[in-house]
Amino acid sequence: MMALSPRVFAILMLLGISIFVVLQMLAQSPVPPTRENVKTAVQAPAEDTGKRIAFSFDDVPRGPGAFLQSQERPGLLLEALRHGGIEQAAFFVNPGRITESDSDAETVMRYAGEGHVLANHTARHSRLSAVSVQTFLADIDAAEAWLLGRPNYRPWFRFPFLDEGGKNKAKRDAVRAGLRKRNLINGYVTVDASDWHMEDLALAAAKNEKMMDWSALRDLFVESYVQSANFSDELARRTLGRAPVQMILLHETDLAAMFVDDLAVALKADGWEIVTADEAYADPMVDMEPDVAFADGTRTQMLAAERNIGSRWYQRNDPKVAKKLFAERVLRE
């Protein structure tokens, strides 16, 4: 008998359930509805990079997901990264979620041990618009205290919720100054399809014992991120006159563990080259600090806003649009 990896076994089980569910539904209805040298470790591209993209994961360690046991997810995610040819992803860590009674520290070190890199996401996932500058910087410092000296540490900081101060420019600029003082660069993103929201919708469906089409869920996940990557590529070309290396935002979710290799395959088929997080943050865009009325969202969106470029929001990041698609395609409602 051929041995199956845990990830393949888990996905085959879910697909088996999906087939059973779809057959049931069809029977019911005839119509299926060092800090300074890290930035220069890779030579910064001076011109259009073409369609190149790197991967990152926020909120590490993340709480229980919809379908996998917490101890299963890291191994399945690492296997998916290997299978998808993603040699170096960035994991943005919230060390305040790590306790002595869990294995989360070992999980984070496991990611680093596989060649992926670790960066700062605040200790406790503070939202800048909701706290003072002093509280926010203290949360950054608490995360740095845990991260410094760890293998594959990078001096990158990503704002939780991609909230860089909203409409409060004084707060935005104070934190930017604080990051410079700490020799931290903004670990911005350019590609987002709100996987966290898709995970929330799946959690709610599971809690309410609704039947889900797993093949449709995978396809929706993959399709949304490929679309978002191409949307950001086109927006960057309109805004900057070139395509920077894109940075995709994902979270350490069950859906990512099950589908990220499918996403990598689809991106490659669409003409994308998967590169390292180091290469992404060697792009000249890393030094840009857009001066916008509302500092929130992807770096591409904020640069487009600064230059008054229209059509800069990817439609499926609207929760109403995403919820409707999930209901139609995954729940077949």
Side-chain angles (χ1 to χ4, degrees):
M1 182 181 293
M2 182 177 66
L4 296 176
S5 71
R7 178 175 176 279
V8 172
F9 181 73
I11 292 175
L12 286 175
M13 285 187 64
L14 291 170
L15 288 176
I17 294 170
S18 173
I19 292 169
F20 174 75
V21 167
V22 171
L23 289 174
Q24 262 197 334
M25 295 172 74
L26 288 174
Q28 294 169 1
S29 172
V31 182
T34 61
R35 301 177 169 174
E36 286 303 310
N37 62 17
V38 171
K39 285 175 62 176
T40 57
V42 179
Q43 183 176 357
E47 299 178 355
D48 194 316
T49 66
K51 292 174 67 171
R52 303 172 73 207
I53 194 166
F55 278 70
S56 65
F57 297 86
D58 278 9
D59 302 358
V60 183
R62 195 169 174 86
F67 314 104
L68 301 173
Q69 296 295 321
S70 297
Q71 63 270 23
E72 291 179 317
R73 186 167 59 208
L76 297 180
L77 178 55
L78 284 168
E79 184 177 339
L81 291 171
R82 288 192 295 269
H83 187 254
I86 303 167
E87 297 179 0
Q88 186 212 71
F91 285 82
F92 285 84
V93 184
N94 299 123
R97 294 175 172 174
I98 298 171
T99 69
E100 294 182 358
S101 62
D102 58 42
S103 59
D104 288 338
E106 290 80 0
T107 293
V108 174
M109 290 302 97
R110 190 175 174 186
Y111 293 144
E114 290 277 342
H116 305 293
V117 297
L118 309 178
N120 191 324
H121 198 42
T122 73
R124 300 191 178 278
H125 209 254
S126 295
R127 186 170 202 142
L128 179 53
S129 291
V131 300
S132 68
V133 170
Q134 293 76 16
T135 297
F136 193 75
L137 291 175
D139 206 11
I140 293 174
D141 290 339
E144 281 295 286
W146 191 91
L147 285 162
L148 281 173
R150 304 277 176 178
N152 286 358
Y153 160 83
R154 293 293 187 272
W156 306 335
F157 169 74
R158 179 168 294 165
F159 287 85
F161 308 99
L162 302 184
D163 177 355
E164 299 189 22
K167 297 180 180 179
N168 191 327
K169 288 191 175 185
K171 183 179 282 189
R172 178 201 72 187
D173 292 343
V175 171
R176 284 179 176 178
L179 293 177
R180 287 192 292 271
K181 181 178 179 180
R182 290 160 174 78
N183 293 320
L184 292 171
I185 70 166
N186 185 333
Y188 61 83
V189 306
T190 62
V191 176
D192 182 21
S194 299
D195 64 320
W196 61 271
H197 186 235
M198 205 177 299
E199 174 91 349
D200 284 351
L201 292 171
L203 274 166
K207 182 178 180 180
N208 293 319
E209 299 183 345
K210 292 188 175 183
M211 294 183 295
M212 287 181 281
D213 183 337
W214 275 86
S215 294
L217 178 56
R218 177 200 60 210
D219 293 346
L220 181 62
F221 181 95
V222 170
E223 174 188 290
S224 296
Y225 270 97
V226 173
Q227 280 189 10
S228 182
N230 286 317
F231 177 88
S232 186
D233 176 74
E234 189 271 339
L235 179 60
R237 292 175 191 275
R238 286 193 288 122
T239 302
L240 303 174
R242 69 178 186 93
V245 180
Q246 303 288 344
M247 173 58 79
I248 194 168
L249 169 60
L250 293 162
H251 294 77
E252 192 203 28
T253 64
D254 290 357
L255 298 189
M258 290 186 287
F259 302 145
V260 73
D261 54 344
D262 296 302
L263 172 56
V265 170
L267 284 167
K268 292 174 185 176
D270 195 59
W272 288 89
E273 177 189 358
I274 296 174
V275 300
T276 65
D278 282 332
E279 289 176 83
Y281 291 137
D283 192 282
M285 195 163 64
V286 78
D287 294 318
M288 297 179 180
E289 290 189 330
D291 184 11
V292 290
F294 186 70
D296 186 283
T298 72
R299 174 60 58 92
T300 323
Q301 287 167 343
M302 283 192 274
L303 288 170
E306 183 182 46
R307 292 157 174 76
N308 295 314
I309 303 296
S311 302
R312 54 182 179 267
W313 299 100
Y314 176 53
Q315 187 181 34
R316 291 188 186 182
N317 284 321
D318 181 336
K320 292 181 181 178
V321 173
K323 186 175 182 179
K324 184 174 185 291
L325 282 169
F326 186 90
E328 291 174 349
R329 294 176 55 173
V330 180
L331 302 180
R332 300 207 176 193
E333 292 180 345

